Amino acid sequence: MDEPRRTVLVIEDELPIRRFLRAALGAQQLHVVEAANGADGLALAASAAPDVILLDLGLPDIDGLEVLARLREWSTVPVIVLSARGQEADKVRGLDAGADDYLGKPFGVPELAARIRVALRHGDREAAPASVYANAGLRIDLHSRAVTRDGVPLHLSPRQYRVLAVLARHAGRVVTHAQLLREVWGEASDASPDYVRIAIHELRHRLEPDPVRPRWLRTEPGVGYRLIDDAGG
Amino acid sequence: MDEPRRTVLVIEDELPIRRFLRAALGAQQLHVVEAANGADGLALAASAAPDVILLDLGLPDIDGLEVLARLREWSTVPVIVLSARGQEADKVRGLDAGADDYLGKPFGVPELAARIRVALRHGDREAAPASVYANAGLRIDLHSRAVTRDGVPLHLSPRQYRVLAVLARHAGRVVTHAQLLREVWGEASDASPDYVRIAIHELRHRLEPDPVRPRWLRTEPGVGYRLIDDAGG
DNA sequence: AGCCGCCGTTAAGGTTCCGTAAACACGGGC
DNA sequence: GCCCGTGTTTACGGAACCTTAACGGCGGCT
């Protein structure tokens, strides 16, 4: 229901087509990020961390296939090529260069949406890194959403889990109050820092043997909180 | 240069097309296995463990989309649909039913070969999921659609089985309400989350010794449900 | 010393979410 | 045509949860 909104990066130089895609994809509940040339596209592919990329081949600065090749040096994000060049040889070149799909213009929005859904399915199955925090009996598996202490499963409320997950993702480092509010309660939220305090309190009560002397959830006065990681930090 | 030869399963009723594909794919250093109808195709998908499947939609015994749906109950092998029906609505249906790609006839061999290479890349990145769930007396065989508890076969309605199958495929991990709705009720469905709640309720009543204290079908408040897997959470 | 900000703790109220029951429509088998 | 299993839809009580507020302790600053 409240699944995280997926991000699609559109790399396309023609403004009308960008506008068209923005409207069409926005209607599919997708978050759209746009780049008008290859250089910006590559930069956004890194900074915006899109779930799928739509790539036009006729770009003004860098050749589309070159963009694809540079992207594939470090990313496996699904790429769907949109091209006016619909010749078979072009398709083969694009697909062999690392594209996951190839749509010749003109294309229908329903088909594009369906192929994006396919790409998102692929991305889901692939983006399953070994994201597990384990330290002195406490184990947080971000993939299966399971928290155990000494092998005993712990029950956490949605809020509590999200707070803990953010801390686990930055294990060993300090996470500021503002950062926690942003990542848990959302960007546009008027939530007060009090929420964090209470969530931490509840978390300590559920997973700390002695909540008064926290072993894992350490307070950094004036800054935020830190999930202790003996290994690194 | 002695890479393991990849296997392609061709499910296609027309003999001339099978012959054509056998020749074309053989020339690409692919090992070709053939099925002339849906039933044989499903059987071969299990026994021959192909790396990719080419599926024609116009089969004599089972509808192609039905073959795809049954296959997807236990396998994630890449499927490329080959169809004379090239209308956009057909493509969307096929892709949403679980296909990874959709080629309208007639197609060129180079493009087909390129799209097969894409599918093989995808297949490499993902691990083959177990097709049988077994945990503390409960056993779910995704191949034969059989569910037993302590050796006793349980009767489940189609809807109930599909919900349980999705959970079994993600055993140990949380499956969100939205994900269950998508995978059971379909991509473009306005079904309400209430359906999931009721399906779970019915499932618990049929397979939990004490439905009030579920042993397998654990609810994750605010998120979804989880099929407990003691081995690998 | 006294004030103030930060943090931990507790409690209460309102809301959301879940489990459960029941009514209705639909289709297949007999 | 009738019965039964199934899927859909609505409704409701209770529990869990989030928010909000308030209080006290501790330390730093003036």
Side-chain angles (χ1 to χ4, degrees):
Chain A
M1 178 156 263
D2 52 334
E3 298 244 329
R5 209 124 158 273
R6 318 306 291 270
T7 299
V8 47
L9 169 60
V10 175
I11 307 179
E12 159 72 64
D13 61 324
E14 293 181 56
L15 180 58
I17 299 186
R18 281 213 306 281
R19 285 209 178 120
F20 169 70
L21 287 173
R22 172 196 288 274
L25 302 180
Q28 307 283 332
Q29 309 303 321
L30 292 167
H31 180 220
V32 180
V33 175
E34 301 176 13
N37 57 61
D40 291 353
L42 285 169
L44 276 172
S47 60
D51 298 290
V52 60
I53 295 179
L54 302 187
L55 174 64
D56 177 47
L57 286 191
L59 296 173
D61 56 341
I62 317 175
D63 179 71
L65 293 181
E66 175 68 17
V67 172
L68 190 50
R70 291 203 204 160
L71 181 72
R72 281 287 176 257
E73 289 175 2
W74 59 273
S75 171
T76 59
V77 59
V79 171
I80 302 176
V81 168
L82 307 176
S83 175
R85 291 181 267 175
Q87 295 305 306
E88 186 165 33
D90 295 312
K91 294 188 183 179
V92 172
R93 263 198 297 278
L95 294 170
D96 280 341
D100 298 86
D101 207 340
Y102 194 110
L103 238 65
K105 295 178 185 174
F107 49 81
V109 170
E111 178 175 358
L112 174 62
R115 291 189 182 270
I116 287 177
R117 286 193 289 273
V118 171
L120 291 175
R121 286 206 299 265
H122 286 153
D124 285 343
R125 283 209 292 265
E126 181 179 345
S131 45
V132 174
Y133 165 92
N135 189 323
L138 180 64
R139 186 186 148 87
I140 305 169
D141 189 326
L142 296 173
H143 187 219
S144 64
R145 200 186 184 279
V147 180
T148 59
R149 197 189 63 196
D150 301 326
V152 184
L154 298 180
H155 172 72
L156 299 180
S157 81
R159 275 282 189 278
Q160 291 161 14
Y161 175 81
R162 290 181 66 180
V163 170
L164 186 59
V166 171
L167 290 169
R169 233 181 293 124
H170 304 99
R173 300 194 299 269
V174 181
V175 182
T176 66
H177 305 119
Q179 195 172 351
L180 277 169
L181 283 173
R182 203 168 350 105
E183 296 200 33
V184 175
W185 276 265
E187 190 72 50
S189 168
D190 55 350
S192 92
D194 294 341
Y195 304 165
V196 177
R197 228 176 42 235
I198 290 165
I200 293 287
H201 173 242
E202 291 170 347
L203 273 173
R204 286 212 256 244
H205 227 271
R206 292 208 182 185
L207 59 84
E208 292 278 6
D210 182 5
V212 181
R213 300 181 181 279
R215 177 169 194 181
W216 291 286
L217 290 169
R218 206 64 65 82
T219 291
E220 299 286 340
V223 185
Y225 296 89
R226 176 208 305 269
L227 184 62
I228 297 294
D229 185 5
D230 296 329
Chain B
M1 269 292 168
D2 54 336
E3 301 229 345
R5 213 128 157 267
R6 317 307 290 270
T7 299
V8 180
L9 169 60
V10 175
I11 308 180
E12 161 71 63
D13 61 325
E14 293 180 56
L15 181 56
I17 300 184
R18 281 213 306 280
R19 286 207 177 122
F20 169 70
L21 287 172
R22 172 197 289 272
L25 301 180
Q28 307 282 333
Q29 310 304 320
L30 293 166
H31 179 219
V32 180
V33 176
E34 301 176 14
N37 58 59
D40 291 353
L42 285 170
L44 276 171
S47 59
D51 298 291
V52 60
I53 295 179
L54 302 187
L55 174 64
D56 176 47
L57 285 192
L59 297 174
D61 54 342
I62 317 176
D63 179 69
L65 292 182
E66 174 68 18
V67 172
L68 190 50
R70 295 223 196 136
L71 181 72
R72 280 288 174 258
E73 287 178 1
W74 58 270
S75 172
T76 57
V77 58
V79 170
I80 302 175
V81 167
L82 307 176
S83 174
R85 291 182 268 177
Q87 295 304 306
E88 186 167 33
D90 295 313
K91 294 187 183 180
V92 172
R93 264 198 296 277
L95 294 170
D96 279 343
D100 296 87
D101 206 339
Y102 194 111
L103 242 67
K105 296 177 184 175
F107 49 81
V109 169
E111 178 176 358
L112 175 62
R115 291 190 181 269
I116 287 176
R117 286 193 289 274
V118 171
L120 291 175
R121 286 205 301 263
H122 286 155
D124 287 342
R125 284 207 292 261
E126 89 188 54
S131 59
V132 163
Y133 166 92
N135 188 318
L138 180 64
R139 187 186 151 86
I140 305 168
D141 188 326
L142 296 173
H143 272 105
S144 60
R145 293 178 163 219
V147 180
T148 59
R149 197 189 64 196
D150 302 326
V152 184
L154 298 180
H155 171 70
L156 299 179
S157 80
R159 199 62 95 188
Q160 290 160 14
Y161 175 79
R162 291 182 64 184
V163 171
L164 186 60
V166 171
L167 289 169
R169 239 182 294 125
H170 303 104
R173 301 198 302 273
V174 177
V175 183
T176 66
H177 307 117
Q179 197 173 349
L180 278 168
L181 283 172
R182 231 190 356 256
E183 297 201 31
V184 175
W185 276 265
E187 289 277 357
S189 167
D190 55 350
S192 95
D194 294 339
Y195 304 165
V196 176
R197 229 175 42 235
I198 288 160
I200 293 287
H201 175 242
E202 293 168 347
L203 274 173
R204 285 212 257 244
H205 238 270
R206 294 207 180 184
L207 58 84
E208 292 277 6
D210 182 5
V212 181
R213 302 196 62 116
R215 177 168 194 180
W216 292 286
L217 289 169
R218 205 68 63 84
T219 156
E220 299 283 342
V223 184
Y225 295 88
R226 178 207 306 271
L227 184 62
I228 297 292
D229 185 7
D230 298 325

